[in-house]
Amino acid sequence: MIAALVLIAGGLAAGVFGSLLGLGGGILIVPLLALGFGLPLHEAIGVSLVAVIATSGAAASVYLDRGVANLRLGMTLELFTASGALIGALIAFAVPDRALAALFAALLGYVAVTMLRGARAAAAREGAVEGEGTRSAALPGAGPTGRFDGPGYRVDRFGVGIAGSLFAGIVSALLGVGGGIVKVPLMHLAMGVPLRVATATSNLMIGITATSGAIVYLVRGEIAPLVAGPTVLGVYVGARAGARVAHRLDLRFLRILFTVVLGWTAFQMTLRALGA
Amino acid sequence: MTAAGSVERTVARVLGVSTTLGVALAGLGTAWLLVTGTSPLDVSGGAVAVVIAGLRVDPGAIIAAGVVALVAGPTLRVAAAIPGYVGRGERMMSGVSVAVLGVIALAVFVAGKGT
């Protein structure tokens, strides 16, 4: 009973933090289950993928209904993220637990460094968004005339998008995360998709990406339902609550706190990778 | 932001229903788990095994059904988009949708081979 409550609380915290800071819950769920509950990494990753599907499904349905997500672009790119995820899941089963821990520690370190750049980088990105939007809208012929274009923007460099999507899929299934950390910058910075649309479309793509990986974990018996239930419930409720309060909070302190948590978790994962 | 088309609305509806169903089942099973005081760390097998072996009604089976509903949701939304794209004569998007389903089918096949 206590373990179930702690799983719900942990999932809740992962969902709230992930939602407030624009990350999927996976980056927190995997360490929670692996370090906090001593689950093998494969099991932690499998459960995390299911939680990621739940949170992305809820958000993506709203984004689609409001016409924010670019369904045609998302479905086309997810052909490659799903293929990458299948490859990633097979790699995950081929490498030992300690190698996965090392890779996860590297991912945590990367995200912690990204967080450290914090408010200044975010402000710079926001400026870039304005610039991108204006540039795209001003392009002659820009608009929903191309195969994947949307109102006011044109989708460029599709080949880069394909390669990046494959990579995002591999990262997702290998480490149990949604892969938005790759997909959003890919679509926004490399393909010229406005940040708001890129975030919504990434959210949509996460469903199929995580599904492709989760199926491998599911069929191979690596998703324990009794662990998945409380975790999914907590993450789902937490993500929805986080989304509701995000605009009311000053996220600077939260970013610093989160950076410290990620750094500590990366250290613990490194210890696990080293067998200490 | 633009008004969503019919395909988008259909896909959104399928995704919304499958997610709600999956989370509701996970919540129901978790509530039962809490009432019975069962530890979630008493792992008795993967979700598919629980569903197959079970068709019984207990917290594990209910949560396993929720997990299956969640994992099936994105696949169903891809399938749901196909009639809309075919109806609009969008061959490329119809083909992309079928190809995505093909990758998912391949994942099931490959995963099954490895067990």
Side-chain angles (χ1 to χ4, degrees):
Chain A
M1 167 120 169
I2 290 173
L5 289 173
V6 174
L7 277 172
I8 294 172
L12 202 70
V16 170
F17 268 82
S19 174
L20 289 178
L21 298 169
L23 297 166
I27 200 148
L28 294 167
I29 297 165
V30 174
L32 171 79
L33 297 177
L35 299 174
F37 287 87
L39 255 65
L41 262 175
H42 288 123
E43 286 185 24
I45 290 169
V47 170
S48 173
L49 285 172
V50 177
V52 163
I53 293 169
T55 51
S56 90
S61 60
V62 175
Y63 285 136
L64 274 171
D65 212 35
R66 292 180 183 169
V68 184
N70 185 331
L71 181 64
R72 297 159 65 88
L73 176 65
M75 283 187 75
T76 308
L77 288 181
E78 72 191 9
L79 176 58
F80 302 97
T81 59
S83 304
L86 177 54
I87 295 167
L90 295 177
I91 294 173
F93 280 94
V95 299
D97 198 274
R98 284 167 62 171
L100 283 179
L103 285 171
F104 206 93
L107 176 71
L108 287 165
Y110 170 75
V111 176
V113 169
T114 307
M115 283 281 165
L116 260 183
R117 291 177 183 161
R120 202 166 49 180
R125 269 200 307 275
E126 286 305 315
V129 176
E130 293 301 321
E132 287 264 337
T134 308
R135 180 176 63 82
S136 291
L139 281 170
T145 51
R147 199 165 271 174
F148 304 112
D149 296 348
Y153 66 93
R154 199 161 61 191
V155 177
D156 298 319
R157 296 199 277 181
F158 198 72
V160 176
I162 289 175
S165 296
L166 260 175
F167 177 68
I170 292 172
V171 171
S172 168
L174 190 59
L175 300 176
V177 297
I181 199 164
V182 177
K183 281 177 255 189
V184 174
L186 174 76
M187 281 188 275
H188 176 52
L189 299 176
M191 302 178 74
V193 177
L195 185 60
R196 185 172 152 77
V197 180
T199 306
T201 306
S202 166
N203 224 306
L204 172 74
M205 291 163 64
I206 282 171
I208 274 290
T209 311
T211 291
S212 183
I215 282 173
V216 178
Y217 289 90
L218 190 65
V219 173
R220 294 191 175 182
E222 295 285 357
I223 298 177
L226 295 186
V227 176
T231 310
V232 167
L233 186 66
V235 172
Y236 180 82
V237 173
R240 291 183 75 93
R244 279 178 194 274
V245 299
H247 64 284
R248 291 184 223 158
L249 297 178
D250 179 2
L251 298 181
R252 277 174 299 183
F253 172 73
L254 207 59
R255 276 180 190 274
I256 294 168
L257 176 69
F258 196 66
T259 303
V260 174
V261 171
L262 284 177
W264 181 83
T265 312
F267 175 68
Q268 294 297 320
M269 274 288 181
T270 305
L271 289 181
R272 183 166 174 146
L274 295 171
Chain B
M1 192 190 302
T2 63
S6 61
V7 178
E8 281 81 356
R9 277 196 297 273
T10 304
V11 167
R13 205 170 302 130
V14 170
L15 205 49
V17 169
S18 63
T19 305
T20 304
L21 177 67
V23 173
L25 287 170
L28 184 65
T30 301
W32 194 343
L33 200 67
L34 290 170
V35 169
T36 57
T38 310
S39 170
L41 301 178
D42 295 339
V43 179
S44 57
V48 171
V50 169
V51 170
I52 293 171
L55 296 182
R56 63 182 192 259
V57 182
D58 64 19
I62 291 174
I63 295 172
V67 168
V68 171
L70 284 170
V71 172
T75 312
L76 289 174
R77 68 116 166 123
V78 174
I82 294 176
Y85 284 131
V86 170
R88 293 202 311 220
E90 294 197 41
R91 276 196 234 160
M92 195 201 84
M93 288 312 298
S94 307
V96 164
S97 306
V98 171
V100 171
L101 293 180
V103 173
I104 298 298
L106 183 65
V108 174
F109 176 75
V110 169
K113 293 281 276 185
T115 54

